[in-house]
Amino acid sequence: MNKSCRTFLYLLLLLFCPGLSAQEVNTVSSPDGKLQLTITLTKEGQMNYAFQADNREFIRQSPLGYALDAGGTLPAAGWILKETTVRNSVRSVWKPVWGKREAVPDQYNEMILHLSGPGSVVLRVTARAYNDGVAFSYDFPSVPGAGLNASAELTQ
């Protein structure tokens, strides 16, 4: 398929599937490049992740976030991605107090997503890709008012 035909098909997809173009896509890869974690934020505020290893999809788009006691979810409609910070090539070693190994390598690539929601609520999602797995965590650096109480985690 030549380049102009691919471009035309892509434009048709964008025209007839508007949800495909209305999302922020962010990806972090392992240091050896074999693992890839992708996090997307749709225009509606739904955050999803996907995981690939050796260019094979292992986890399709799956939700991330929390259900709140007061109703609703985090993130939700009205949330925006303010900034993506990528810190590549973290290479360090830590020494366990006990165990078989004297030193354990700590090598990963990291991506931090800074999201902002209604009422000045801020959510920071940190995603790391190691050579043997991926991880992500949530952090609420500032919660105005009485705070937020999660009733369930929506991550699947």
Side-chain angles (χ1 to χ4, degrees), residues 70-131:
T73 61
L74 281 176
W79 283 74
I80 58 170
L81 180 63
K82 295 294 257 183
E83 177 185 12
T84 300
T85 306
V86 179
R87 198 174 91 193
N88 287 319
S89 301
V90 174
R91 306 291 182 264
S92 64
V93 175
W94 62 276
K95 297 181 185 225
V97 177
W98 58 272
K100 294 180 181 180
R101 296 177 8 182
E102 190 173 308
V104 178
D106 192 21
Q107 301 179 354
Y108 59 87
N109 291 331
E110 182 178 72
M111 168 178 67
I112 303 171
L113 306 174
H114 303 269
L115 293 98
S116 177
S120 302
V121 177
V122 176
L123 170 62
R124 185 170 51 219
V125 179
T126 302
R128 290 182 178 174
Y130 299 83
N131 286 337

